[in-house]
Amino acid sequence: MRAATVILVSALCGGVGAGAYGAMAPEGSTPLAVEPAKNKEQPEPEIVSFTDANTGSCINWQTNPDGSNSDFATVGCAEPHRFEVSTREDLSQYPTSEFAADAAHPNLERQQQLTEELCVGPTMNYLGGKLDPEGRYSISPILPPGSAWKEGDRTMLCGVMVQDAHGRTTETVGLAAESDQSRAYPANVCVRVEGDAPSEVPCTEDHTWQVTDKVNLGENFPQEWPDIEKQNQLLSERCTAAGRNYLGGDDALYNSTLTPFWTTIQQQSWAAGSRTVNCALTSGKQGGGFATLKGDARQGFTIDGQPPAKQPERNPLRNTAPGAAQPAPPAGQ
């Protein structure tokens, strides 16, 4: 995720507007004859930062169809934003000549190193340690755009952002430390898992599961973290029912060949304030792992490129509630 963040930062920086300023030599001066009035030492031009954002600020910008960014502005954190600032660093104070006036913009590898060196510690302190290691927020830097860097701006902002499947920032609302940081999605969303990272994608694209419900475990477990066994006990019933309701009944779920599935919360994520999990429908592969789904599970869809296999007839699902009438089995069964 950090590598994706670094790539994003490079793309971001290219579209951020910079302040206007410049440095000019005294007019009329020459090495041979200098007018007295022109011989005075000229003050160093003030370097204007590309942003005045500081710790606790939230920043938003517009993304354009061509991939550039514009309208970079500081906004209230209760408003939609793409970046929350944890600290502001001045790289010109870095104890090397690496960031001198004629220095090149840091490459992607160096940006990643700067994130580790200058952003991680202050950001964790800013968040009070509340960063879900499996959650939707990632620690990231923003460096000045190329034009501002060339003019001497060495501002680096550290903070957190949320990314989509393509590594682009998405808008969020509220402070990260006060938010549920879970990677949980609304019903109907399709999710693709690449490596260990889930991300929302259109259901018309290859995906791993389709969300049927969003569950707040804090409603059932208001105190301490429930271990995975307790979560499974609750979610097995909840998510199986969600799958039936989502597809229109038990027969529809059976014939889809899809399996009810759910996510869980690890203890370190719970400690960071995450409480939300997903119920979903997926398809497992023999030997382990997930099949590739494509299309909406409620309409025409494929599993590894093929429609769901036709299922043999079976007895209708029995209602196990006390006193419930039971349907008669089909003739001959």
Side-chain angles (χ1 to χ4, degrees):
M1 291 181 62
R2 183 169 292 112
T5 297
V6 171
I7 294 170
L8 166 67
V9 168
S10 283
L12 167 66
C13 291
V16 178
Y21 46 86
M24 294 183 294
E27 293 183 8
S29 62
T30 72
L32 300 178
V34 179
E35 297 178 7
K38 304 293 185 177
N39 198 29
K40 296 179 180 179
E41 182 178 349
Q42 297 296 315
E44 290 292 330
E46 180 182 358
I47 297 175
V48 179
S49 173
F50 77 104
T51 176
D52 61 357
N54 213 325
T55 301
S57 298
C58 288
I59 304 171
N60 206 0
W61 55 85
Q62 296 296 321
T63 58
N64 304 313
D66 63 357
S68 64
N69 303 284
S70 59
D71 300 329
F72 189 89
T74 302
V75 299
C77 294
E79 302 176 33
H81 58 271
R82 300 177 188 273
F83 193 83
E84 181 179 343
V85 182
S86 60
T87 186
R88 181 186 179 98
E89 300 289 340
D90 183 358
L91 295 180
S92 68
Q93 303 301 311
Y94 207 77
T96 70
S97 60
E98 178 182 1
F99 304 111
D102 58 348
H105 203 275
N107 61 24
L108 299 183
E109 181 180 1
R110 185 57 178 137
Q111 289 180 36
Q112 182 175 350
Q113 293 170 351
L114 290 171
T115 302
E116 293 286 349
E117 295 169 8
L118 301 178
C119 292
V120 172
T123 301
M124 291 302 296
N125 289 335
Y126 168 77
L127 297 173
K130 292 187 174 182
L131 181 65
D132 184 346
E134 299 178 352
R136 55 198 176 101
Y137 287 94
S138 58
I139 298 176
S140 311
I142 294 180
L143 292 170
S147 57
W149 182 273
K150 184 177 180 180
E151 296 292 346
D153 186 3
R154 297 296 182 264
T155 303
M156 184 176 81
L157 301 180
C158 297
V160 291
M161 62 171 62
V162 178
Q163 298 169 304
D164 65 11
H166 303 286
R168 298 172 300 205
T169 56
T170 61
E171 290 186 329
T172 187
V173 175
L175 296 170
E178 298 175 359
S179 302
D180 188 325
Q181 300 179 14
S182 305
R183 286 185 179 271
Y185 307 90
N188 306 324
V189 166
C190 290
V191 177
R192 180 168 63 219
V193 179
E194 295 177 313
D196 293 328
S199 56
E200 178 179 348
V201 296
C203 292
T204 53
E205 296 183 9
D206 290 348
H207 56 274
T208 311
W209 66 71
Q210 185 166 340
V211 178
T212 58
D213 198 8
K214 189 175 182 179
V215 182
N216 182 355
L217 292 179
E219 296 175 355
N220 294 86
F221 304 101
Q223 302 297 328
E224 69 282 350
W225 170 71
D227 61 31
I228 301 302
E229 182 178 356
K230 290 179 180 178
Q231 294 182 49
N232 286 339
Q233 289 173 353
L234 171 70
L235 295 171
S236 174
E237 181 177 348
R238 175 77 177 261
C239 294
T240 300
R244 293 191 187 111
N245 294 335
Y246 192 74
L247 294 182
D250 184 68
D251 281 345
L253 176 59
Y254 171 72
N255 288 318
S256 75
T257 73
L258 297 174
T259 304
F261 169 81
W262 54 91
T263 58
T264 56
I265 296 179
Q266 299 296 323
Q267 189 168 11
Q268 63 269 29
S269 299
W270 188 273
S274 294
R275 297 291 184 272
T276 310
V277 296
N278 274 143
C279 296
L281 293 171
T282 191
S283 181
K285 301 181 71 169
Q286 289 186 353
F290 294 102
T292 299
L293 307 179
K294 191 170 186 177
D296 192 317
R298 297 163 296 180
Q299 302 170 14
F301 71 98
T302 60
I303 304 173
D304 285 339
Q306 300 296 322
K310 184 174 178 58
Q311 299 299 289
E313 287 191 27
R314 60 167 193 159
N315 289 332
L317 178 70
R318 294 175 60 86
N319 187 342
T320 57
Q326 304 301 330
Q333 294 191 17

